Amino acid sequence: MLTNLYGKDFITTEDWSIEELNSMLEMAADLKRRFACGEPHDHILRAKTLFMLFFEESTRTRNSFESGITQLGGHAIYLTPSATQVGHGENAKDTGMVLERYGHGIAVRDCRTNIGQAYMYELAKYVNIPVISMQDDVDHPCQSMADLMTICEKFGHNLRGLKFVISWTYAPKYVRPLSVPQALIMLMTRFGMDVTLAHPKGFELMPKCLEAARRHAAENGTKFEVVDSMDAACEGADIVYAKSWGPIMVTEDPKEVQAMCDQHKDWICDERRMGLAKKQAIYMHCMPIDRGYEATDAVVDGPQSVIYDEAENRLHVQKALMALTMGGRI
Ligand code: CP
């Protein structure tokens, strides 16, 4: 395990080597064990503060970071643009350089297309404490690391040759960002899995993320393919990760988005589709799930579903991340 990660930003998994990411997984497993057996570990970040700036709402991310740092002995402060001067236009430099005088880490969720991740790199340019992405327009690195931890728990650490499917599904109501599927194709191709991305025309991901996935596959001896059939993708899969995202590369206009989504209402993860996957296949989703649209209750609540394990592992990987980047040797 590497122990030299103090102060390192975690804006995307792309900025961390495989060895560094494995160190996070290793630390997460240790902290999970300690949490399960009630072994105190509240000295690790005692009296340390994480500022959490949310441009969008959250259930899992906010609560796992907040309870995670409490368990490590520190404290989290929940911020939004309207609860700070960010909403009045205070820039990233001024916000960051003030917050770093008070605390030990800044975490941000900002999914605005072509703005979110750039805002985090702008912060990171000026502050010396770690900047952590809690999801942006490009990546959701804490989610994909929790998903990777879950897959390792189910299949072991040699993931070579597993077929990992990330498929688009239909969902109404609002435009979901691209960051989860992008995070998954960029990370899983580095960890031995053969990745299949499935979506209808118009729901493409950002070219730079597709390029990263292709490069990782070539460098790591894995496969990366893009198909336009959910059935074909699910055939022989070991992992079926099925979720909705918006046609953001084409439009973010809510009416146009709805019209495009409505053409593909049959893209749902149901028992028939899980039946196309391997017998031991697992069903994954980052949550929140639009039940009855993205997946049937039978799948979400069925024996192949690992969604609550994924949500739990958010806590453990984020505690590991904070311990490694905000803790430090005695
Ligand atoms: N998966 C996830 O990030 O959930 P929240 O939006 O509830 O944080």
Side-chain angles (χ1 to χ4, degrees), residues 57-62 109 135 140 143 286-288 314:
E57 306 73 23
S58 163
T59 296
R60 279 142 290 273
T61 305
R62 176 184 176 179
R109 167 171 282 191
Q135 187 176 17
H140 194 350
Q143 181 65 53
C286 55
M287 303 177 82
R314 292 292 303 276

Side-chain angles (χ1 to χ4, degrees), residues 270-271 291 295-305:
D270 56 13
E271 285 173 298
R291 284 172 177 256
T296 59
D297 284 342
V299 169
V300 175
D301 300 322
Q304 290 165 294
S305 175

Side-chain angles (χ1 to χ4, degrees), residues 67-88:
S67 47
I69 195 165
T70 301
Q71 290 160 24
L72 293 168
H75 177 64
I77 297 181
Y78 177 72
L79 304 170
T80 64
S82 61
T84 60
Q85 300 296 5
V86 172
H88 287 147

